Amino acid sequence: MKALIPAVIKLTALILFALLGMSPALTPVAMAMPVETAPTFVRVQLDSGEKELQLRYPQTVRLDRVQQDALANVYQLSTKSDNTAQALYWQSLYWIGSFLWKADHRAKQALALQQQTADRQIRALADHWRYHRPAASETLIQLAQSLASPLPGERIFLPLDSDRVRIVPENNPALNGPFVLRLATRPNTVKVTGAIKLPAGNTADISLPWQERQDAAGYLKQIQALSVANRDYVWVIQPDGKAEQHSIAYWNRQDKDIAPGAILYLAFTDLPASAKSLNSQIIHLLSQRPF
């Protein structure tokens, strides 16, 4: 009797497969596999300071927990050693200008590939314009060097304001693996880059004092645009990474707010067919970079 049991079970299974129109040889076996998570490691920075905190968690952790731990220890990143430093930074942190990067190997590789692609196109265009547009060629070389500088990984675009993270579930993702959280204090400048004539020195942008209610056209009056610059629109990369197109010509000028720490990118025109996507690539890379 015992010998018949396996045969009966097998026969029953074959009948079920036949009724369902399935082949037993091709039917996957569903097994409940445990989901494995790696430890989470978050490096916390403050502005461009050399010090950093290292937060370690044995498994997945929510962003709000990371922020709480970072804020509780942010005074360690300051030159001030008294207890007022913690309260000071809690109040003065510029959340719209803070960054969260995914810093695992895949994210780093993806960003490096984007940088390499843009670098090749920028340098090819610089070579193309070397003789008949030398100023534009020099600007492109400086821009290529700036955009090629290393970053921790790929930026995660979401609101980092601690209240919005705590209240809105979509703003409070589960983090697993390596990350970099860069806290920022409010700057008092904006930067202009792109198709502009650069001052002497190794720099790819011009820093201008931030002015309340100043529009993009007002900032651009303070710099010299190249002959290949777009005269009708400028891209504004706000500190949170959002890229906006602002009208700057006399016929379409609109007043739009520009936050401290924004980057104004004056796009290149008259591009060859091989570089038609260059402006969008540069804008994306600029949105990945801290101010």
Side-chain angles (χ1 to χ4, degrees):
M1 185 66 180
K2 291 183 179 180
L4 292 175
I5 292 177
V8 172
I9 294 175
K10 182 176 181 181
L11 178 61
T12 303
L14 291 172
I15 293 173
L16 288 174
F17 285 132
L19 291 174
L20 295 174
M22 301 169 63
S23 171
L26 301 178
T27 303
V29 178
M31 298 182 64
M33 300 295 291
V35 178
E36 296 184 4
T37 59
T40 300
F41 175 53
V42 184
R43 293 160 47 205
V44 182
Q45 304 168 347
L46 178 63
D47 293 328
S48 58
E50 296 182 357
K51 294 182 180 179
E52 65 178 33
L53 295 172
Q54 296 185 357
L55 304 178
R56 297 177 182 271
Y57 305 90
Q59 54 191 1
T60 299
V61 62
R62 290 284 176 181
L63 176 58
D64 63 340
R65 168 67 186 281
V66 173
Q67 286 186 321
Q68 292 171 15
D69 293 341
L71 291 173
N73 295 279
V74 69
Y75 68 92
Q76 297 182 36
L77 303 178
S78 170
T79 55
K80 299 179 180 180
S81 57
D82 54 27
N83 293 331
T84 61
Q86 180 177 349
L88 174 66
Y89 280 118
W90 184 286
Q91 297 172 6
S92 64
L93 285 176
Y94 190 52
W95 289 114
I96 191 176
S98 296
F99 276 67
L100 178 65
W101 289 282
K102 177 69 173 174
D104 61 11
H105 181 66
R106 186 210 61 80
K108 290 180 179 180
Q109 275 193 325
L111 182 64
L113 180 60
Q114 296 166 21
Q115 289 177 304
Q116 292 166 11
T117 301
D119 187 77
R120 284 194 298 267
Q121 287 201 20
I122 294 172
R123 292 185 183 277
L125 183 59
D127 186 63
H128 178 69
W129 283 347
R130 181 186 305 174
Y131 298 110
H132 62 293
R133 288 171 176 163
S137 179
E138 177 60 28
T139 293
L140 284 167
I141 292 173
Q142 296 294 339
L143 188 58
Q145 293 175 352
S146 174
L147 294 177
S149 59
L151 286 170
E154 287 188 302
R155 184 178 186 179
I156 299 175
F157 294 97
L158 53 77
L160 290 178
D161 180 274
S162 56
D163 291 331
R164 295 180 66 181
V165 169
R166 187 178 67 255
I167 295 171
V168 182
E170 291 78 9
N171 297 337
N172 190 22
L175 307 181
N176 186 251
F179 293 84
V180 176
L181 174 62
R182 178 163 176 167
L183 305 176
T185 53
R186 186 176 181 271
N188 56 8
T189 58
V190 299
K191 291 180 180 178
V192 184
T193 189
I196 62 174
K197 185 173 178 57
L198 296 171
N202 295 325
T203 178
D205 54 59
I206 296 174
S207 183
L208 299 174
W210 176 80
Q211 299 178 36
E212 188 175 3
R213 302 189 183 281
Q214 178 71 282
D215 65 359
Y219 286 115
L220 293 176
K221 287 180 180 178
Q222 304 174 54
I223 60 95
Q224 182 178 348
L226 296 171
S227 61
V228 291
N230 190 319
R231 304 285 177 166
D232 297 329
Y233 301 95
V234 64
W235 285 95
V236 176
I237 298 97
Q238 300 284 13
D240 62 357
K242 182 180 180 181
E244 305 170 344
Q245 196 175 51
H246 289 207
S247 305
I248 55 174
Y250 71 91
W251 58 271
N252 67 353
R253 182 170 174 176
Q254 294 177 331
D255 293 334
K256 291 185 178 181
D257 290 337
I258 297 176
I263 300 174
L264 282 68
Y265 173 71
L266 198 55
F268 293 89
T269 62
D270 196 22
L271 297 173
S274 59
K276 289 300 182 183
S277 64
L278 184 61
N279 285 313
S280 60
Q281 292 181 46
I282 293 173
I283 291 168
H284 174 69
L285 289 177
L286 288 173
S287 70
Q288 299 274 343
R289 310 194 72 82
F291 188 72

